[in-house]
Every structure is written in structure tokens, then in C-alpha cells.
Amino acid sequence: IAHAGQFLPAVRQSHTSMTSDQTANLLYSLLFLVLVVSSLAARRLPIGVTVKYALAWLAIFAGAAVLYSFRGIARQGWEQVRTEFFPGAPIQDGKTIRVRMEEDGHFHVDAQVNGHTLNFLIDSGATTTTLSQTGANGAGVPIDVYGFPVATQTANGVAMMKRARIGSLSIGSIVRTDFPVLVSADQEDAVNLLGMNFLSSLRNWRVEGREMILEP
């Protein structure tokens, strides 16, 4: 009984807050309608025309209210359409980024590298984020050509990489600056990998169903 009593104030408070919001919305609606009717009456139009205009405004207002009520569903629908046409586009959900799994079973995401869009394969098995030669050149990433190459183990065997730093790497609202990466020395390698040095910089990341959740 003590536990039930502890929860009662919270429930009552939530109910009161919801009622206050509904009351405020109703007052705003009535005020809007009063302003519309007053403006029509001030024009001294025939009563039939005034009623017609008032009904038209009422229909517009009702339509806007319906759209506002279903804004969450509309946003989800838009996100679904966008991912169909732009599969790599990250989905901004508050501060969180959601990435949809593609048909190949992997997570691909579009990122801004120095303002240039590059598509990355998210690979938790890669220690360091890797750019292809083409991607690095297109995004204007300066490569340390005089430094010692780095030997990395890939799915195709050992590959030689060059060190580089990205001025700005952003995925949605998640931004990393002066970000260390490796650049493939193979001119034919066109794969960009988003590795653990990026994922470990996040507060949290996880996979839920067919989505990867990135929390800054």
C-alpha cells in the first residue's frame, strides 16, 4: 500500500499537466477563431459571404489541427520515404542518429568529410576509420605521404595505409574535428570504413533490430 501511495502524486501531476496543455490549446483555438470572425465582421460583407469565409477558415484551421495531431506519424512516413530514395542518409531523432540496415545486411551511412559527402560502411571490426584514396582526394584530406605506412589486416589480407587527419567529420548532428584516419594506398580500393575510433567516441551505440543507434 505504501508503494501505491508513493506513485499517486506523480499520476495526478501528469494528469493535471495534460489537462492544462489541452486547455491552453483550446484557448488558442478560440482566440484564433474570434480574430478571424472579427476581421470578417469589420469588412461589413454580406452575411452569406461572411459565413462562407468563416467556414473556409474553419476548414483550414481544422485541417491544420489534424496535420499537427498526426505530425509524429507524418514524420515517420517521411523518414521511410527518404530512406527508400537515400538509403545512406542518417535519420536524426533528437540528438540520436539512427542508421537503417541495407539489403546486404550491413550498415552504411553518409557522412560529411570536410563538407564533402562520403558513404561509409560501419565496421566495428575496424580499429581505425579508413578512407579510400578517391574519398580522401575528393574531400581534400591531407595525407602524411612522408610518414611510415601502417600495415593493417583486412578481409583481403594485409594492406598498407597512410595516416591522415580529417578537419571535420559529421554524421547528422554528431561532429568530430581533427579526426585521425587511415587512407588506403590501393588506388582501386573504393571502400570507406567507419571504425571503432569513431564508435568509441560516442556515449553509446547499439543495434536494435534493423537499426543502428548512435548516441553522441
Side-chain angles (χ1 to χ4, degrees):
I1 297 174
H3 287 294
Q6 290 173 359
F7 284 103
L8 281 176
V11 173
R12 288 171 181 163
Q13 182 179 1
S14 174
H15 178 73
T16 303
S17 176
M18 185 175 63
T19 304
S20 300
D21 292 341
Q22 291 176 340
T23 302
N25 289 334
L26 179 60
L27 289 175
Y28 287 138
S29 302
L30 291 175
L31 178 61
F32 179 80
L33 290 176
V34 167
L35 289 174
V36 171
V37 172
S38 299
S39 63
L40 291 175
R43 298 177 61 182
R44 300 182 181 278
L45 297 173
I47 186 64
V49 177
T50 301
V51 171
K52 188 180 296 184
Y53 281 160
L55 291 176
W57 275 105
L58 183 61
I60 293 172
F61 181 76
V66 170
L67 290 176
Y68 181 79
S69 300
F70 289 94
R71 63 192 182 281
I73 297 175
R75 183 178 64 83
Q76 292 177 0
W78 162 246
E79 295 291 359
Q80 182 64 37
V81 171
R82 191 179 68 155
T83 52
E84 291 295 331
F85 285 96
F86 307 99
I91 302 171
Q92 188 80 39
D93 186 6
K95 292 184 178 181
T96 300
I97 300 294
R98 295 186 290 120
V99 181
R100 297 277 177 86
M101 181 185 293
E102 295 194 9
E103 296 299 325
D104 61 2
H106 296 286
F107 295 97
H108 300 261
V109 65
D110 290 337
Q112 296 296 314
V113 177
N114 296 339
H116 183 81
T117 302
L118 292 180
N119 186 264
F120 284 83
L121 167 65
I122 302 178
D123 185 1
S124 60
T127 304
T128 306
T129 297
T130 303
L131 294 180
S132 66
Q133 276 277 354
T134 303
N137 293 337
V141 176
I143 303 172
D144 182 9
V145 295
Y146 299 107
F148 288 104
V150 179
T152 59
Q153 184 67 42
T154 69
N156 298 323
V158 177
M160 303 307 294
M161 304 280 183
K162 289 288 189 178
R163 298 183 188 275
R165 300 189 81 88
I166 295 175
S168 175
L169 170 66
S170 61
I171 300 176
S173 61
I174 301 175
V175 181
R176 298 292 181 266
T177 57
D178 194 27
F179 188 74
V181 297
L182 296 176
V183 178
S184 173
D186 186 355
Q187 295 287 346
E188 296 183 359
D189 187 2
V191 178
N192 305 302
L193 299 178
L194 196 68
M196 279 302 300
N197 66 328
F198 177 84
L199 295 177
S200 62
S201 74
L202 303 173
R203 183 170 66 88
N204 184 32
W205 67 274
R206 63 189 182 277
V207 175
E208 294 182 355
R210 295 181 61 83
E211 287 188 339
M212 177 175 283
I213 313 299
L214 308 178
E215 297 182 2

